[in-house]
């Protein structure tokens, strides 16, 4: 069971407690307590840690974690001191989640809000179906990142894999490194003063130090918004 280290600070050791017990406490007990900081020890790659939290609490996961970490997060600020598996911060609504290592596939899938920072690399489909919020990746991203991204921002400080921004809607992508290839309807556009200001703010929030002028802007050409009979279904 958890132990209180000092007022407002709770520690969970997952070598002695279950993920079910941890999440039950996060869902039902935080609103009735003065706990504002939680440390999770010995995650050992377990899945579904800190899912569905709806409280203004700082959560530190001290080690590598598995799939769906911080999913559906609302208000909490989560830091993973290691790597994560698939779908970190999936459907996050607000708050923040920082990965101090690398992330596997589908990082930030269907995010609606908040800030996801991945200090290392992210694998394929980072930001898939992004619906809002901001993702900042300190390294590179894999293929089909920001596929069908509808709103929000993806910032890639390294390189981007194939089919970047395929079927992009109103989300915007910024890439500092090399782009392997763009997906359908994505195009590189001139970087404007508003982009530089926005990038500067996001990089500062992510604590990543790169000049915003070094990035390329990728956005939708808006040719797939409507079906055209003259295209004979070839896009």
């Amino acid at each position: 069971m958890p132990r209180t280290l000092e007022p407002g600070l709770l520690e969970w050791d997952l070598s002695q407690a279950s993920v079910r017990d941890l999440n039950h406490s996060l869902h039902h007990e935080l609103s009735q307590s003065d706990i504002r900081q939680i440390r999770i020890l010995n995650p050992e790659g377990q899945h579904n840690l800190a899912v569905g939290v709806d409280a203004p609490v700082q959560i530190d996961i001290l080690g590598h974690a598995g799939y769906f970490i911080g999913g559906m997060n609302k208000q909490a600020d989560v830091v993973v001191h290691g790597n994560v598996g698939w779908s970190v911060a999936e459907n996050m609504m607000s708050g923040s989640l920082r990965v101090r290592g690398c992330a596997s596939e589908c990082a930030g899938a269907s995010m609606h809000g908040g800030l996801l920072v991945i200090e290392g690399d992210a694998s394929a489909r980072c930001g898939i179906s992004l619906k809002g919020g901001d993702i900042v990746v300190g390294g590179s991203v894999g293929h089909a990142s920001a596929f069908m991204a509808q709103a929000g921002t993806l910032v890639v400080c390294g390189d981007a894999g194939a089919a970047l921004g395929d079927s992009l809607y109103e989300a915007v992508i910024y890439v500092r490194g090399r782009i392997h290839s763009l997906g359908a309807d994505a195009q590189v556009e001139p970087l404007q003063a508003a982009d530089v200001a926005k990038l500067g703010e996001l990089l500062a929030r992510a604590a990543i130090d790169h000049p915003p002028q070094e990035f390329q802007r990728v956005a939708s050409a808006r040719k797939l918004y409507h079906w055209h009979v003259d295209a004979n279904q070839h896009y």
Side-chain angles (χ1 to χ4, degrees):
M1 297 305 293
R3 59 174 183 158
T4 302
L5 300 182
E6 58 187 63
L9 174 59
L10 195 66
E11 184 175 87
W12 281 82
D13 188 342
L14 292 184
S15 68
Q16 303 176 26
S18 70
V19 173
R20 180 183 294 273
D21 289 339
L22 166 66
N23 284 334
H24 183 276
S25 175
L26 294 177
H27 295 166
H28 300 289
E29 297 173 9
L30 283 182
S31 61
Q32 303 170 15
S33 72
D34 60 354
I35 297 298
R36 287 296 172 262
Q37 186 176 359
I38 294 172
R39 293 177 187 164
I40 301 173
L41 308 181
N42 298 308
E44 301 295 338
Q46 294 191 72
H47 309 314
N48 306 314
L49 304 180
V51 168
V53 180
D54 187 3
V57 61
Q58 170 74 38
I59 301 174
D60 287 279
I61 301 173
L62 302 179
H64 303 308
Y67 298 169
F68 303 108
I69 305 303
M72 298 179 288
N73 181 50
K74 189 175 180 182
Q75 301 191 65
D77 295 307
V78 182
V79 179
V80 181
H81 298 262
N83 302 320
V84 294
W86 279 58
S87 299
V88 62
E90 182 181 37
N91 205 41
M92 182 161 73
M93 306 303 289
S94 64
S96 69
L97 198 155
R98 177 181 293 269
V99 178
R100 294 204 177 276
C102 297
S104 189
E105 302 196 13
C106 301
S110 298
M111 271 178 56
H112 285 253
L115 172 66
L116 170 61
V117 178
I118 299 166
E119 295 185 358
D121 298 323
S123 188
R125 295 181 288 277
C126 178
I128 183 173
S129 193
L130 186 67
K131 295 176 174 63
D134 303 299
I135 303 174
V136 180
V137 179
S140 299
V141 297
H143 65 269
S145 288
F147 171 58
M148 292 188 70
Q150 298 160 37
T153 309
L154 171 61
V155 178
V156 182
C157 298
D159 300 329
L164 177 68
D166 191 82
S167 302
L168 195 62
Y169 286 82
E170 293 302 310
V172 177
I173 308 167
Y174 297 102
V175 182
R176 181 170 178 262
R178 183 178 67 90
I179 299 173
H180 182 281
S181 64
L182 295 174
D185 209 37
Q187 65 180 11
V188 175
E189 299 179 345
L191 199 67
Q192 305 291 341
D195 296 304
V196 172
K198 181 178 181 178
L199 266 170
E201 178 188 358
L202 279 175
L203 291 168
R205 289 173 60 199
I208 294 177
D209 187 17
H210 291 303
Q213 295 85 354
E214 295 181 354
F215 288 77
Q216 302 177 76
R217 171 190 166 101
V218 177
S220 173
R222 296 181 174 84
K223 294 179 180 178
L224 297 183
Y225 277 28
H226 305 284
W227 184 80
H228 297 288
V229 66
D230 293 337
N232 292 321
Q233 297 185 358
H234 295 298
Y235 288 91

